[in-house]
PDB file of all heavy atoms in Angstrom:
ATOM      1  N   GLN V 112     -12.986   1.326 -44.243  1.00 91.00           N
ATOM      2  CA  GLN V 112     -12.513   0.257 -45.123  1.00 91.00           C
ATOM      3  C   GLN V 112     -12.022  -0.957 -44.342  1.00 91.00           C
ATOM      4  O   GLN V 112     -12.232  -2.098 -44.759  1.00 91.00           O
ATOM      5  CB  GLN V 112     -11.410   0.777 -46.040  1.00 91.00           C
ATOM      6  CG  GLN V 112     -10.886  -0.261 -47.033  1.00 91.00           C
ATOM      7  CD  GLN V 112     -11.988  -0.874 -47.883  1.00 91.00           C
ATOM      8  OE1 GLN V 112     -12.893  -0.173 -48.325  1.00 91.00           O
ATOM      9  NE2 GLN V 112     -11.927  -2.188 -48.104  1.00 91.00           N
ATOM     10  N   VAL V 115     -15.004  -2.929 -43.546  1.00 95.00           N
ATOM     11  CA  VAL V 115     -15.548  -3.618 -44.728  1.00 95.00           C
ATOM     12  C   VAL V 115     -14.800  -4.933 -44.921  1.00 95.00           C
ATOM     13  O   VAL V 115     -15.406  -5.979 -45.176  1.00 95.00           O
ATOM     14  CB  VAL V 115     -15.415  -2.726 -45.981  1.00 95.00           C
ATOM     15  CG1 VAL V 115     -15.842  -3.512 -47.218  1.00 95.00           C
ATOM     16  CG2 VAL V 115     -16.266  -1.473 -45.841  1.00 95.00           C
ATOM     17  N   GLN V 116     -13.488  -4.882 -44.762  1.00 96.00           N
ATOM     18  CA  GLN V 116     -12.669  -6.076 -44.969  1.00 96.00           C
ATOM     19  C   GLN V 116     -12.832  -7.085 -43.835  1.00 96.00           C
ATOM     20  O   GLN V 116     -12.998  -8.285 -44.085  1.00 96.00           O
ATOM     21  CB  GLN V 116     -11.199  -5.689 -45.102  1.00 96.00           C
ATOM     22  CG  GLN V 116     -10.272  -6.883 -45.306  1.00 96.00           C
ATOM     23  CD  GLN V 116      -8.817  -6.487 -45.436  1.00 96.00           C
ATOM     24  OE1 GLN V 116      -8.490  -5.310 -45.578  1.00 96.00           O
ATOM     25  NE2 GLN V 116      -7.919  -7.464 -45.387  1.00 96.00           N
ATOM     26  N   VAL V 138     -23.704  -0.958 -51.750  1.00 97.00           N
ATOM     27  CA  VAL V 138     -22.308  -1.078 -52.159  1.00 97.00           C
ATOM     28  C   VAL V 138     -22.026  -0.126 -53.311  1.00 97.00           C
ATOM     29  O   VAL V 138     -22.819  -0.016 -54.256  1.00 97.00           O
ATOM     30  CB  VAL V 138     -22.001  -2.528 -52.596  1.00 97.00           C
ATOM     31  CG1 VAL V 138     -20.511  -2.682 -52.913  1.00 97.00           C
ATOM     32  CG2 VAL V 138     -22.421  -3.518 -51.513  1.00 97.00           C
ATOM     33  N   LEU V 139     -20.893   0.567 -53.219  1.00 94.00           N
ATOM     34  CA  LEU V 139     -20.456   1.463 -54.273  1.00 94.00           C
ATOM     35  C   LEU V 139     -19.145   0.954 -54.864  1.00 94.00           C
ATOM     36  O   LEU V 139     -18.395   0.227 -54.202  1.00 94.00           O
ATOM     37  CB  LEU V 139     -20.271   2.894 -53.750  1.00 94.00           C
ATOM     38  CG  LEU V 139     -21.563   3.685 -53.474  1.00 94.00           C
ATOM     39  CD1 LEU V 139     -22.138   3.294 -52.114  1.00 94.00           C
ATOM     40  CD2 LEU V 139     -21.308   5.178 -53.492  1.00 94.00           C
ATOM     41  N   SER V 140     -18.870   1.385 -56.082  1.00 88.00           N
ATOM     42  CA  SER V 140     -17.705   0.875 -56.802  1.00 88.00           C
ATOM     43  C   SER V 140     -16.383   1.376 -56.238  1.00 88.00           C
ATOM     44  O   SER V 140     -15.322   0.835 -56.564  1.00 88.00           O
ATOM     45  CB  SER V 140     -17.803   1.257 -58.281  1.00 88.00           C
ATOM     46  OG  SER V 140     -17.915   2.670 -58.430  1.00 88.00           O
ATOM     47  N   GLY V 141     -16.417   2.396 -55.414  1.00 82.00           N
ATOM     48  CA  GLY V 141     -15.178   2.928 -54.835  1.00 82.00           C
ATOM     49  C   GLY V 141     -15.445   4.154 -53.999  1.00 82.00           C
ATOM     50  O   GLY V 141     -16.589   4.430 -53.630  1.00 82.00           O
ATOM     51  N   TYR V 142     -14.410   4.936 -53.742  1.00 78.00           N
ATOM     52  CA  TYR V 142     -14.506   6.073 -52.836  1.00 78.00           C
ATOM     53  C   TYR V 142     -14.412   7.425 -53.549  1.00 78.00           C
ATOM     54  O   TYR V 142     -14.441   8.468 -52.910  1.00 78.00           O
ATOM     55  CB  TYR V 142     -13.416   5.976 -51.766  1.00 78.00           C
ATOM     56  CG  TYR V 142     -13.709   4.904 -50.741  1.00 78.00           C
ATOM     57  CD1 TYR V 142     -13.416   3.580 -51.009  1.00 78.00           C
ATOM     58  CD2 TYR V 142     -14.312   5.211 -49.532  1.00 78.00           C
ATOM     59  CE1 TYR V 142     -13.700   2.581 -50.085  1.00 78.00           C
ATOM     60  CE2 TYR V 142     -14.605   4.235 -48.605  1.00 78.00           C
ATOM     61  CZ  TYR V 142     -14.295   2.911 -48.894  1.00 78.00           C
ATOM     62  OH  TYR V 142     -14.587   1.923 -47.979  1.00 78.00           O
ATOM     63  N   ILE V 149     -23.429  -0.336 -57.042  1.00 95.00           N
ATOM     64  CA  ILE V 149     -23.302  -1.570 -57.809  1.00 95.00           C
ATOM     65  C   ILE V 149     -24.037  -2.704 -57.089  1.00 95.00           C
ATOM     66  O   ILE V 149     -24.344  -2.608 -55.899  1.00 95.00           O
ATOM     67  CB  ILE V 149     -21.826  -1.961 -58.029  1.00 95.00           C
ATOM     68  CG1 ILE V 149     -21.116  -2.161 -56.680  1.00 95.00           C
ATOM     69  CG2 ILE V 149     -21.110  -0.898 -58.861  1.00 95.00           C
ATOM     70  CD1 ILE V 149     -19.672  -2.631 -56.811  1.00 95.00           C
ATOM     71  N   VAL V 154     -19.783  -8.411 -56.703  1.00 96.00           N
ATOM     72  CA  VAL V 154     -18.568  -8.177 -55.910  1.00 96.00           C
ATOM     73  C   VAL V 154     -17.939  -9.514 -55.536  1.00 96.00           C
ATOM     74  O   VAL V 154     -18.638 -10.456 -55.131  1.00 96.00           O
ATOM     75  CB  VAL V 154     -18.888  -7.372 -54.633  1.00 96.00           C
ATOM     76  CG1 VAL V 154     -17.649  -7.244 -53.750  1.00 96.00           C
ATOM     77  CG2 VAL V 154     -19.443  -5.999 -54.997  1.00 96.00           C
ATOM     78  N   ASP V 155     -16.634  -9.601 -55.666  1.00 97.00           N
ATOM     79  CA  ASP V 155     -15.887 -10.776 -55.203  1.00 97.00           C
ATOM     80  C   ASP V 155     -15.598 -10.560 -53.715  1.00 97.00           C
ATOM     81  O   ASP V 155     -14.576  -9.996 -53.343  1.00 97.00           O
ATOM     82  CB  ASP V 155     -14.588 -10.930 -55.991  1.00 97.00           C
ATOM     83  CG  ASP V 155     -13.805 -12.190 -55.600  1.00 97.00           C
ATOM     84  OD1 ASP V 155     -14.104 -12.786 -54.546  1.00 97.00           O
ATOM     85  OD2 ASP V 155     -12.875 -12.561 -56.335  1.00 97.00           O
ATOM     86  N   ALA V 158     -12.340 -11.728 -52.236  1.00 97.00           N
ATOM     87  CA  ALA V 158     -11.212 -10.844 -52.543  1.00 97.00           C
ATOM     88  C   ALA V 158     -11.232  -9.613 -51.637  1.00 97.00           C
ATOM     89  O   ALA V 158     -10.184  -9.126 -51.207  1.00 97.00           O
ATOM     90  CB  ALA V 158     -11.258 -10.421 -54.008  1.00 97.00           C
ATOM     91  N   VAL V 159     -12.436  -9.116 -51.312  1.00 96.00           N
ATOM     92  CA  VAL V 159     -12.547  -7.977 -50.387  1.00 96.00           C
ATOM     93  C   VAL V 159     -12.066  -8.380 -49.001  1.00 96.00           C
ATOM     94  O   VAL V 159     -11.312  -7.657 -48.343  1.00 96.00           O
ATOM     95  CB  VAL V 159     -14.000  -7.455 -50.332  1.00 96.00           C
ATOM     96  CG1 VAL V 159     -14.134  -6.369 -49.267  1.00 96.00           C
ATOM     97  CG2 VAL V 159     -14.429  -6.919 -51.696  1.00 96.00           C
ATOM     98  N   GLY V 162      -8.425  -8.469 -48.832  1.00 95.00           N
ATOM     99  CA  GLY V 162      -7.733  -7.215 -49.094  1.00 95.00           C
ATOM    100  C   GLY V 162      -7.250  -7.050 -50.519  1.00 95.00           C
ATOM    101  O   GLY V 162      -6.479  -6.129 -50.814  1.00 95.00           O
ATOM    102  N   ARG V 163      -7.709  -7.912 -51.429  1.00 96.00           N
ATOM    103  CA  ARG V 163      -7.267  -7.837 -52.821  1.00 96.00           C
ATOM    104  C   ARG V 163      -8.156  -6.918 -53.658  1.00 96.00           C
ATOM    105  O   ARG V 163      -7.763  -6.484 -54.738  1.00 96.00           O
ATOM    106  CB  ARG V 163      -7.229  -9.234 -53.440  1.00 96.00           C
ATOM    107  CG  ARG V 163      -6.181 -10.142 -52.820  1.00 96.00           C
ATOM    108  CD  ARG V 163      -6.104 -11.488 -53.532  1.00 96.00           C
ATOM    109  NE  ARG V 163      -7.221 -12.371 -53.177  1.00 96.00           N
ATOM    110  CZ  ARG V 163      -8.218 -12.660 -54.004  1.00 96.00           C
ATOM    111  NH1 ARG V 163      -8.235 -12.142 -55.224  1.00 96.00           N
ATOM    112  NH2 ARG V 163      -9.187 -13.484 -53.633  1.00 96.00           N
ATOM    113  N   GLU V 164      -9.363  -6.628 -53.178  1.00 94.00           N
ATOM    114  CA  GLU V 164     -10.265  -5.693 -53.844  1.00 94.00           C
ATOM    115  C   GLU V 164     -10.852  -4.745 -52.811  1.00 94.00           C
ATOM    116  O   GLU V 164     -10.942  -5.078 -51.624  1.00 94.00           O
ATOM    117  CB  GLU V 164     -11.392  -6.435 -54.574  1.00 94.00           C
ATOM    118  CG  GLU V 164     -10.941  -7.173 -55.816  1.00 94.00           C
ATOM    119  CD  GLU V 164     -12.115  -7.679 -56.638  1.00 94.00           C
ATOM    120  OE1 GLU V 164     -13.261  -7.206 -56.403  1.00 94.00           O
ATOM    121  OE2 GLU V 164     -11.901  -8.526 -57.520  1.00 94.00           O
ATOM    122  N   VAL V 165     -11.246  -3.570 -53.290  1.00 92.00           N
ATOM    123  CA  VAL V 165     -11.807  -2.549 -52.408  1.00 92.00           C
ATOM    124  C   VAL V 165     -13.162  -2.108 -52.943  1.00 92.00           C
ATOM    125  O   VAL V 165     -13.298  -1.803 -54.135  1.00 92.00           O
ATOM    126  CB  VAL V 165     -10.878  -1.316 -52.307  1.00 92.00           C
ATOM    127  CG1 VAL V 165     -11.552  -0.195 -51.529  1.00 92.00           C
ATOM    128  CG2 VAL V 165      -9.566  -1.703 -51.637  1.00 92.00           C
ATOM    129  N   VAL V 166     -14.169  -2.120 -52.097  1.00 93.00           N
ATOM    130  CA  VAL V 166     -15.468  -1.539 -52.407  1.00 93.00           C
ATOM    131  C   VAL V 166     -15.881  -0.662 -51.237  1.00 93.00           C
ATOM    132  O   VAL V 166     -15.429  -0.861 -50.106  1.00 93.00           O
ATOM    133  CB  VAL V 166     -16.564  -2.602 -52.659  1.00 93.00           C
ATOM    134  CG1 VAL V 166     -16.292  -3.380 -53.930  1.00 93.00           C
ATOM    135  CG2 VAL V 166     -16.702  -3.531 -51.458  1.00 93.00           C
ATOM    136  N   LYS V 167     -16.714   0.308 -51.522  1.00 95.00           N
ATOM    137  CA  LYS V 167     -17.251   1.153 -50.459  1.00 95.00           C
ATOM    138  C   LYS V 167     -18.613   0.613 -50.045  1.00 95.00           C
ATOM    139  O   LYS V 167     -19.446   0.284 -50.891  1.00 95.00           O
ATOM    140  CB  LYS V 167     -17.391   2.599 -50.935  1.00 95.00           C
ATOM    141  CG  LYS V 167     -17.993   3.527 -49.889  1.00 95.00           C
ATOM    142  CD  LYS V 167     -18.090   4.958 -50.390  1.00 95.00           C
ATOM    143  CE  LYS V 167     -18.749   5.859 -49.351  1.00 95.00           C
ATOM    144  NZ  LYS V 167     -18.842   7.264 -49.816  1.00 95.00           N
ATOM    145  N   VAL V 168     -18.828   0.524 -48.744  1.00 96.00           N
ATOM    146  CA  VAL V 168     -20.117   0.100 -48.210  1.00 96.00           C
ATOM    147  C   VAL V 168     -20.651   1.213 -47.321  1.00 96.00           C
ATOM    148  O   VAL V 168     -19.926   1.743 -46.474  1.00 96.00           O
ATOM    149  CB  VAL V 168     -19.990  -1.208 -47.394  1.00 96.00           C
ATOM    150  CG1 VAL V 168     -21.337  -1.587 -46.782  1.00 96.00           C
ATOM    151  CG2 VAL V 168     -19.480  -2.347 -48.278  1.00 96.00           C
TER     152      VAL V 168
END
Side-chain angles (χ1 to χ4, degrees):
Q112 182 55 41
V115 174
Q116 179 180 349
V138 185
L139 286 81
S140 57
Y142 287 82
I149 60 177
V154 175
D155 183 345
V159 174
R163 294 184 284 108
E164 288 190 15
V165 173
V166 293
K167 178 179 178 179
V168 177

